[in-house]
Amino acid sequence: RLIAESTGREIDIDLIPIDDRPTYEMLSRGETAGVFQLESSGMRAILRDLKPEVFEDIVALVALYRPGPLGSGMVDDFIKNKHGLKKVKYLHPKLEPILKDTYGVILYQEQVMRISSDLAGFTLGEADMLRRAMGKKKPEIIAGLRTQFVDGAVNNGVDGEIAGQIFDLMEYFAGYGFNKSHSAAYALVSYQTAYLKANYQLQYMAALLTSIKENADKVAAYIEECRRLGIEVLPPDVNESRESFTVAGNKIRFGLAAVKNVGLGAVESI
């Protein structure tokens, strides 16, 4: 549903298993070497604190791991709200369906647009104008739209003071807001790579090593990850090795093309 909303096209639901404990358990332990977008040390630390349980958590994580949210305390608030360490409070009941998935935090630009539309009656064009003005911090445009927002919200039965507080909250968070469709697209690849690593370790690590075979430092790092996973990487063998890293029983055989100073022509000849 989320990807369909973000991309405007349907996807095969089998891409996202409804119950995939091994993947989420691996993510919660921060064991994400080789997982798209999630392998930095900072990201691993947040994963261990956040302990994602659903795909929406991964989408949010991609949006949160940026200098603005990290420096503003948004990440800590998000994690505490998710785990019930802080009570999620909504300034108005109409905010709950909009902010429920992000535990009360205004994280996405689309949420700013929906709040202005649902509470103040903004058209989609006006909501987009507000999003852009807040994102680029244009005070002269924001001031005019603030009056429109408060008046529209009052006409929809929202208390004027509460409407002003909601607008101020949107303006604060909008500077850190991220495009949800962009985050969802990244998160899908993150999820798919995490799913493969959690459920098909041998095949995934062999493919991962093959993908970076020309980078000796990364090859060494991912071989170390194989050791941590209990996967033995067998040395190159002219009789056994292929061009790429390959699965050999419950082990991985080193690919000849990854051997330094051995050209592809020589490998193909062998």
Side-chain angles (χ1 to χ4, degrees), residues 104-270:
V105 175
I106 301 175
L107 180 57
Y108 306 118
Q109 294 173 357
E110 288 89 339
Q111 288 174 317
V112 170
M113 294 176 66
R114 190 173 163 197
I115 291 169
S116 58
S117 176
D118 288 7
L119 271 72
F122 276 37
T123 66
L124 289 178
E126 291 168 338
D128 189 51
M129 188 188 305
L130 176 62
R131 173 195 66 80
R132 280 184 282 129
M134 285 182 167
K136 295 181 179 178
K137 294 182 168 53
K138 294 187 174 180
E140 67 285 353
I141 300 176
I142 293 172
L145 291 171
R146 188 183 203 280
T147 302
Q148 182 183 345
F149 179 90
V150 173
D151 291 345
V154 169
N155 288 337
N156 282 338
V158 180
D159 178 79
E161 186 176 345
I162 295 294
Q165 291 176 16
I166 292 171
F167 189 90
D168 292 340
L169 195 66
M170 283 198 303
E171 187 177 359
Y172 171 75
F173 281 112
Y176 307 118
F178 198 64
N179 183 285
K180 185 178 184 181
S181 58
H182 183 102
S183 190
Y186 269 51
L188 178 60
V189 182
S190 298
Y191 174 83
Q192 288 173 327
T193 52
Y195 174 81
L196 291 170
K197 184 180 180 185
N199 294 280
Y200 302 94
Q201 284 185 349
L202 272 167
Q203 293 83 352
Y204 184 71
M205 292 308 296
L208 184 64
L209 283 160
T210 297
S211 73
I212 48 87
K213 63 180 181 288
E214 295 174 0
N215 186 323
D217 290 339
K218 284 191 173 183
V219 167
Y222 289 141
I223 286 177
E224 186 58 38
E225 175 67 3
C226 287
R227 290 197 184 103
R228 190 191 67 77
L229 293 169
I231 300 170
E232 183 180 354
V233 179
L234 300 169
D237 186 313
V238 291
N239 295 311
E240 298 288 339
S241 292
R242 310 292 295 178
E243 172 193 333
S244 303
F245 287 81
T246 52
V247 175
N250 61 351
K251 303 174 183 179
I252 292 175
R253 175 68 69 177
F254 203 97
L256 289 180
V259 180
K260 199 168 184 179
N261 296 324
V262 176
L264 191 57
V267 174
E268 289 174 347
S269 176
I270 291 170

Side-chain angles (χ1 to χ4, degrees), residues 21-167:
R21 288 188 182 88
T23 300
Y24 288 104
E25 287 171 359
M26 183 189 77
L27 291 173
S28 296
R29 294 192 299 269
E31 296 173 358
T32 50
V35 175
F36 180 69
Q37 289 284 304
L38 305 182
E39 63 178 334
S40 69
S41 58
M43 186 67 90
R44 291 190 206 186
I46 293 176
L47 278 165
R48 286 190 287 269
D49 291 336
L50 178 65
K51 301 193 182 309
E53 299 171 289
V54 292
F55 182 63
E56 281 276 10
D57 288 344
I58 305 175
V59 179
L61 185 62
V62 173
L64 284 166
Y65 195 70
R66 295 175 299 118
L70 288 169
S72 70
M74 275 178 70
V75 177
D76 290 337
D77 288 342
F78 187 93
I79 292 171
K80 288 176 181 176
N81 289 356
K82 171 178 166 56
H83 295 303
L85 300 176
K86 280 178 64 178
K87 186 176 180 180
V88 180
K89 296 179 181 178
Y90 301 100
L91 288 171
H92 191 276
K94 286 185 177 180
L95 290 177
E96 184 170 356
I98 302 172
L99 303 179
K100 187 177 180 181
D101 286 343
T102 52
Y103 311 104
V105 175
I106 301 175
L107 180 57
Y108 306 118
Q109 294 173 357
E110 288 89 339
Q111 288 174 317
V112 170
M113 294 176 66
R114 190 173 163 197
I115 291 169
S116 58
S117 176
D118 288 7
L119 271 72
F122 276 37
T123 66
L124 289 178
E126 291 168 338
D128 189 51
M129 188 188 305
L130 176 62
R131 173 195 66 80
R132 280 184 282 129
M134 285 182 167
K136 295 181 179 178
K137 294 182 168 53
K138 294 187 174 180
E140 67 285 353
I141 300 176
I142 293 172
L145 291 171
R146 188 183 203 280
T147 302
Q148 182 183 345
F149 179 90
V150 173
D151 291 345
V154 169
N155 288 337
N156 282 338
V158 180
D159 178 79
E161 186 176 345
I162 295 294
Q165 291 176 16
I166 292 171
F167 189 90

